Amino acid sequence: MGSRRLLPAALLAVVLTALVVTPAVLVRRAGLEHRQTTPARAGHWLGGWGTAQATAGRLPCGSCTVRNVVHLSVGGTAVRIRLANTYGTGSVTVGHATVALPAQPGATAAPALLREVTFAGARSVRVPAGAAVSSDPVPLTVTGGRDLLVSLYLPRHSRLAVSYHPSAHQTNYLAGGDATTAGATAFRHTTTHWYLLAGVDVRTADAVGTVVALGDSITDGTGSSGDTNRRWPDLLADRLAGRPPGKRHAVLDAGIAGNRLLRDGPPTSGVAALTRVGADVPAGLGVRTVILLEGINDIQFDRGVDAAALIAGYRTMVASLHARGLRVVGTTLLPYAGARAWSPAGNAVRVRVNSWIRTSGVFDAVLDADAALRDPTDPGRLAPDYDCGDHLHPSDAGYAALAATVDLTVL
């Protein structure tokens, strides 16, 4: 898709009502009262896990089963899966699907905890190109902070490009034929993509709403240790799980590596955040708050972009989310001196944008990731312990520090 020309939205009237200080981060709360939502009833559906589809590609086998491993943010008594063929080149048929709790790390499903999945009562479902479907509810008791195996049998798709999320930072598994009920030995190949699966919803009484983290590779978890769920949205979910009932929230990770706020990037980077926000901040799942961390890739790779263009994009994004009754937490852009694409001009844009995020009053709250993760002796760089080594992405410790700065009361 081509670049999208953006126009600034009308200036938002925002009233500053509270000032909350948390470690290494200043959080402002503004105008929240008119966007509060009524807590959902016990046994409601929330987004237990989610990802953002970014591109499409051929499966490595013509008829195969993908066993996606996902990490749930909340527990409950039933699940349902959401499939999205957003960027597919044709209709994809899922011939059979199952969900299961793992017996051990990896592809091993616990046989007694494996359940068949149906779609409007049928075992198979057709997902047209550009469309999404949800399954019927599946009774299964699940626990937040634990994995779930979602197996999808995709027959005869060697010539079709199937929509997927490229950078799972999670080992997923492939087997020939219908292996949706098979043991781990059937899955002889691995992938780091999540194919066709966009989300797992959980029916729960433990949490009252859903938080969506919308961002780029930093939200996607680049630089974190694989198969350990140390992306900062996962760590935020762990913090929220410790809250008392009535204060807990599910968390969805809508990060895409390489994503930009204003313009479409290369295919694996997805379309611009302003374009995908409608699909990747789903309706009907108790979403209350969006934490936005986007813009560093615009600065790095679109050398003509300036602070005014990014600020106009942020205003447009916030206005669209406020129109849906959602809170928006703006996150300052991390320092990146030493990174391959760093430039003095780009850093100057980052500094101006961060100043605006902190002081404009457009956001309902501000997460100052820059202040939390920068090197105190060299503020243009990530602190050494928080740097994964490329001077752009946090380490596991950096992601933990980022998750720890979120003031849970604003969610």
Side-chain angles (χ1 to χ4, degrees), residues 250-270:
V251 179
L252 299 180
D253 188 336
I256 300 176
N259 199 235
R260 306 178 194 184
L261 177 70
L262 303 177
R263 297 182 176 89
D264 302 341
T268 57
S269 300

Side-chain angles (χ1 to χ4, degrees), residues 222-223 337-340 381-396:
T222 299
R340 178 175 53 85
R381 293 178 178 270
L382 288 169
D385 288 347
Y386 294 160
D387 188 341
C388 79
D390 66 4
H391 311 301
L392 175 66
H393 300 98
S395 61
D396 288 343

